[in-house]
Amino acid sequence: MKQITLEQKRTILLDILTAVDAFCERQKICYSMACGTMLGAVRHKGFIPWDDDIDIYLPREDYTRLEDVFPDILDGKYCFASLRRTKGWHNAYGKIYDNRTYSANNKANRIAFGINIDVYPIDDVPDNEAGWQTFRKKQKKAVYDVKYKTLSLSTGNGFKRNLLLLWKKLPIMFKSREELLKKLDSLAQSNNGKGYTTCFENCQGLIQQHPFKKSLFGSIATWPFEDRVFHGFEDADAYLSNGYGDYMKLPPKEKQVLVHGYDTFWKD
């Protein structure tokens, strides 16, 4: 297999989002760039120089519709894997990937996929701080239970790390990953339809710490990103300051390193 360079990977990521953007436009599906992708659009007009992934958010109803209408293969190369669409899927959120590529990062996963963008459903959460904190505690536990179930003991981990992982695995030893994923998915959607005005990335959401206003999805704008234009929150400041604080300030040099860096290849 021929290895894909970082520059090539970023082009493939842009091509995936370009295809998804056009598809969502045709289907009247709402999405926004999110996380480091939204930050990159505002601060760098493209990828954060030390980033190599793309994230998008969809309100739950739009995410469900995307699951329903996305074809088996879009444009002959893009596939959408999600908990409801894909047997044996290992996340409570989805990924749209280029099926011509392979990732060396997914050997432990049951579904083979390559270069991909993360597709996160966004769900309601309690508006009041006490209610949010109570829910957040349950949500984080559910996310970590899935994570610990997926991780395996390894001689490369070292004794202490394996011992800690074993301790985390004990309470979920007799639960399948599928059972834990369904529990997380159900919990993620448990506050929908209750009239709350705030929302969160409930199916993952370990980096982001604070919920944001659902109304942000009501005003979507177009933002330049590299040599393309994609959808993002018109009030990007409200989203980014909520999640990152002083988001225009660059992190220290020692933290300007690839977080997701892993080898990717063209399939033979």
Side-chain angles (χ1 to χ4, degrees):
M1 290 182 290
K2 184 178 180 181
Q3 189 164 351
I4 297 170
T5 66
L6 176 59
E7 183 178 354
Q8 290 170 331
K9 180 181 180 182
R10 284 176 170 164
T11 298
I12 294 168
L13 287 168
L14 289 171
D15 289 344
I16 296 172
L17 186 52
T18 297
V20 171
D21 175 85
F23 184 80
C24 287
E25 191 77 36
R26 292 194 300 271
Q27 297 292 332
K28 302 295 189 291
I29 291 174
C30 174
Y31 85 89
S32 171
M33 291 181 288
C35 307
T37 309
M38 190 73 251
L39 175 57
V42 173
R43 194 171 69 191
H44 303 276
K45 302 297 188 290
F47 286 104
I48 295 173
W50 50 93
D51 200 6
D52 65 341
D53 77 335
I54 283 179
D55 306 293
I56 63 173
Y57 282 170
L58 289 83
R60 173 63 70 170
E61 58 270 24
D62 289 274
Y63 180 87
T64 299
R65 185 150 180 269
L66 187 64
E67 285 184 307
D68 289 338
V69 301
F70 200 91
D72 291 337
I73 300 179
L74 177 66
D75 296 347
K77 52 192 168 185
Y78 304 125
C79 302
F80 181 22
S82 73
L83 193 58
R84 196 157 61 87
R85 283 175 62 101
T86 312
K87 185 178 180 180
W89 188 235
H90 54 279
N91 292 310
Y93 59 93
K95 288 179 179 285
I96 297 177
Y97 62 94
D98 187 322
N99 69 358
R100 303 170 301 167
T101 65
Y102 169 79
S103 168
N105 191 46
N106 71 351
K107 293 178 181 178
N109 297 325
R110 303 178 191 180
I111 310 300
F113 61 91
I115 294 173
N116 65 87
I117 67 172
D118 289 322
V119 183
Y120 293 107
I122 299 301
D123 296 291
D124 296 358
V125 295
D127 292 333
N128 65 84
E129 183 64 18
W132 158 247
Q133 291 298 336
T134 298
F135 175 78
R136 176 63 163 162
K137 185 176 180 180
K138 296 177 182 177
Q139 181 260 347
K140 287 179 75 172
K141 182 182 185 305
V143 170
Y144 275 117
D145 281 349
V146 171
K147 180 179 179 180
Y148 292 136
K149 190 68 179 182
T150 303
L151 293 174
S152 301
L153 300 175
S154 169
T155 54
N157 288 342
F159 176 75
K160 288 185 178 180
R161 189 173 178 182
N162 276 330
L163 189 62
L164 177 61
L165 180 56
L166 181 61
W167 176 258
K168 297 291 186 181
K169 280 176 166 288
L170 282 175
I172 55 175
M173 182 176 294
F174 299 107
K175 295 182 180 180
S176 68
R177 181 163 64 175
E178 288 75 14
E179 183 180 354
L180 293 172
L181 278 168
K182 287 179 180 179
K183 179 180 178 181
L184 171 57
D185 183 60
S186 177
L187 178 66
Q189 301 183 58
S190 63
N191 291 300
N192 293 343
K194 296 182 179 180
Y196 293 131
T197 63
T198 52
C199 57
F200 193 67
E201 181 192 316
N202 290 340
C203 288
Q204 180 74 352
L206 294 178
I207 296 176
Q208 300 285 336
Q209 297 297 321
H210 306 289
F212 59 95
K213 292 293 183 182
K214 287 171 58 177
S215 59
L216 290 180
F217 282 109
S219 297
I220 298 295
T222 53
W223 290 84
F225 193 95
E226 301 295 336
D227 60 346
R228 323 280 175 101
V229 175
F230 299 119
H231 290 186
F233 297 125
E234 184 174 40
D235 191 357
D237 177 73
Y239 168 70
L240 293 172
S241 59
N242 180 70
Y244 296 95
D246 185 5
Y247 58 88
M248 295 301 288
K249 182 179 179 181
L250 295 176
K253 285 287 185 181
E254 61 270 18
K255 293 189 176 181
Q256 297 180 20
V257 294
L258 280 177
V259 176
H260 308 95
Y262 50 83
D263 293 335
T264 53
F265 304 88
W266 293 109
K267 290 180 180 178
D268 294 331

